[in-house]
Amino acid sequence: MPSQEVLSSGLVERIGLEEAQITYKKSGEKFSKVTDIPNHKIGLELVAGYLLDKKIGVIDSTDDIAAVGHRVVHGGSSFSDTVEITSEVKKEIENLFSLAPLHNPANLQGIEVAEEIFTKAKQVAVFDTAFHQTMPSVAYKYALKPEFLEKHNIRAYGFHGTSHKYVSQQAIDYLGAENSKNIITIHLGNGCSMAAVKNGNCIDTSMGLAPLNGLIMGTRTGDIDPSIIFHLQGQLEYSIKDINNLLNKQSGMVGLTGLSDMRDITAAAESGNEACNEALEMAAYRIKKFIGSYTTAMNGLDAIVFTAGIGENSHVMRRLSCTNMDVLGIQLDQEKNLKRSGEIREIQSKDSKVKILVVPTDEEAEIANQAFDLVK
């Protein structure tokens, strides 16, 4: 930094499970091994081992690391920006465990392990919710008694903020500020969310208190009628734990099709599988509804941005999401849509009034930038 040259990269997967794996890349070479990784501490020690390796490493000492950037999923209302991690910050991350029980505990563990290994580095927290803290109260409040917000912090927070911030800024830089006042960013992966970005600030987003509502996702329902929960519990005798598991892990695309990978779902749909075809149509229909509502909220639309694994790579989801959207001035060029590239690209037709961009997201770069800006 600040050149953003990637010296090395890697991934630790399946921590605590059988066949855990670490992958490390440097100068085009890839090194990976399956090994026992019982916890995050062991995983990060393996990472440090690769970074320090005399043949393929990139540092001579852990003291060479000036900052460690941590993605923290939930910052509640406490954090609207990136912060250096202190004992007070760690305590607040812990206080938010109940709002992100699957993420914040692991995030805090990663911080504490990094403090042990990279003892001279500043630890920096980049919050998934921070970008959405510019939402007005009409967007983030629920129609509940004020005490639920004031005493219990129940409100819409939004997620994938690091990605939405990165790709919206990339789009603004690409189009120019005058041509990008009203942008809708569409993050499509296993988790999916959208954001309305007006003059560079988020004014609404599809996820809420937790990352469950909004778009149809890989295993999550997205928006449903809350009465379904009461029906599941009262009439079908589901426990709250069972309902939570059903809505978060057994629904969405996997619930509709039995398949979890978008590539498999698309291939099955093209082979005539009606359940897969309908699931794709349902997911696109939900996206189109949010595009319409966000265009109204911003009183205009200059561009829509597709990003993340599915958004960047699935020409089918982009096509379905932009079909019959002429009323909003959205017209896709099918030939451009089929082309693949690792760069920002436009895929709208020449008659489209709205730019349709595919912008590769880079949350690691965004975290590095924010950590560098904080500590420099």
Side-chain angles (χ1 to χ4, degrees), residues 172-189:
I172 291 168
D173 291 344
Y174 177 84
L175 296 170
E178 283 301 308
N179 301 315
S180 55
K181 292 181 178 179
N182 300 307
I183 297 176
I184 296 172
T185 51
I186 308 170
H187 177 108
L188 303 178

Side-chain angles (χ1 to χ4, degrees), residues 322-374:
C322 295
T323 299
N324 296 326
M325 297 289 277
D326 307 66
V327 68
L328 296 180
I330 297 171
Q331 294 183 357
L332 190 71
D333 184 306
Q334 301 295 352
E335 189 175 332
K336 291 178 182 176
N337 184 42
L338 290 172
K339 293 180 180 178
R340 303 191 66 154
S341 170
E343 305 297 322
I344 295 178
R345 62 192 187 277
E346 299 182 30
I347 58 173
Q348 76 278 355
S349 72
K350 59 181 175 54
D351 296 323
S352 181
K353 295 178 182 178
V354 173
K355 297 285 189 181
I356 307 173
L357 304 182
V358 180
V359 180
T361 191
D362 193 339
E363 293 175 270
E364 290 85 357
E366 181 63 28
I367 290 170
N369 281 326
Q370 291 190 38
F372 178 78
D373 288 343
L374 186 73

Side-chain angles (χ1 to χ4, degrees), residues 89-141:
V89 170
K90 288 195 291 183
K91 183 63 178 175
E92 188 57 29
I93 292 171
E94 185 176 356
N95 290 339
L96 294 165
F97 277 8
S98 62
L99 294 181
L102 298 180
H103 298 93
N104 271 36
N107 298 155
L108 181 59
Q109 187 178 12
I111 291 167
E112 291 176 337
V113 171
E115 287 175 332
E116 292 179 26
I117 295 175
F118 301 100
T119 56
K120 297 290 181 65
K122 292 184 183 297
Q123 308 295 327
V124 177
V126 179
F127 296 92
D128 244 16
T129 50
F131 181 60
H132 305 303
Q133 286 292 301
T134 52
M135 287 192 295
S137 61
V138 293
Y140 71 71
K141 279 188 175 181

Side-chain angles (χ1 to χ4, degrees), residues 79-295:
F79 302 105
S80 59
D81 209 346
T82 297
V83 297
E84 184 177 344
I85 296 169
T86 63
S87 57
E88 290 80 11
V89 170
K90 288 195 291 183
K91 183 63 178 175
E92 188 57 29
I93 292 171
E94 185 176 356
N95 290 339
L96 294 165
F97 277 8
S98 62
L99 294 181
L102 298 180
H103 298 93
N104 271 36
N107 298 155
L108 181 59
Q109 187 178 12
I111 291 167
E112 291 176 337
V113 171
E115 287 175 332
E116 292 179 26
I117 295 175
F118 301 100
T119 56
K120 297 290 181 65
K122 292 184 183 297
Q123 308 295 327
V124 177
V126 179
F127 296 92
D128 244 16
T129 50
F131 181 60
H132 305 303
Q133 286 292 301
T134 52
M135 287 192 295
S137 61
V138 293
Y140 71 71
K141 279 188 175 181
Y142 293 120
L144 296 168
K145 292 180 179 179
E147 64 192 72
F148 288 100
L149 173 58
E150 295 163 2
K151 295 181 181 179
H152 306 293
N153 298 313
I154 296 176
R155 52 158 287 182
Y157 291 100
F159 299 89
H160 297 140
T162 306
S163 177
H164 287 296
K165 179 177 181 178
Y166 178 82
V167 299
S168 61
Q169 188 57 56
Q170 290 289 307
I172 291 168
D173 291 344
Y174 177 84
L175 296 170
E178 283 301 308
N179 301 315
S180 55
K181 292 181 178 179
N182 300 307
I183 297 176
I184 296 172
T185 51
I186 308 170
H187 177 108
L188 303 178
N190 187 53
C192 303
S193 66
M194 291 171 61
V197 183
K198 191 172 186 66
N199 297 319
N201 294 316
C202 176
I203 66 159
D204 206 348
T205 189
S206 60
M207 286 179 168
L209 176 73
L212 178 60
N213 64 310
L215 303 182
I216 296 172
M217 304 176 226
T219 64
R220 285 171 261 177
T221 58
D223 286 347
I224 62 167
D225 180 350
S227 300
I228 294 171
I229 297 172
F230 308 138
H231 185 77
L232 288 169
Q233 184 181 31
Q235 303 300 316
L236 304 183
E237 298 183 347
Y238 274 63
S239 68
I240 290 297
K241 183 179 179 181
D242 290 338
I243 294 171
N244 185 50
N245 191 57
L246 172 68
L247 301 186
N248 275 292
K249 298 181 180 180
Q250 299 174 358
S251 299
M253 300 302 279
V254 76
L256 291 168
T257 69
L259 302 170
S260 58
D261 193 299
M262 182 59 74
R263 291 166 293 189
D264 295 335
I265 295 169
T266 303
E270 291 172 346
S271 298
N273 185 305
E274 283 303 316
C276 289
N277 187 60
E278 184 177 55
L280 292 171
E281 293 279 2
M282 288 173 63
Y285 181 71
R286 188 73 59 86
I287 291 169
K288 289 158 75 169
K289 288 207 296 184
F290 273 98
I291 291 174
S293 65
Y294 286 170
T295 301

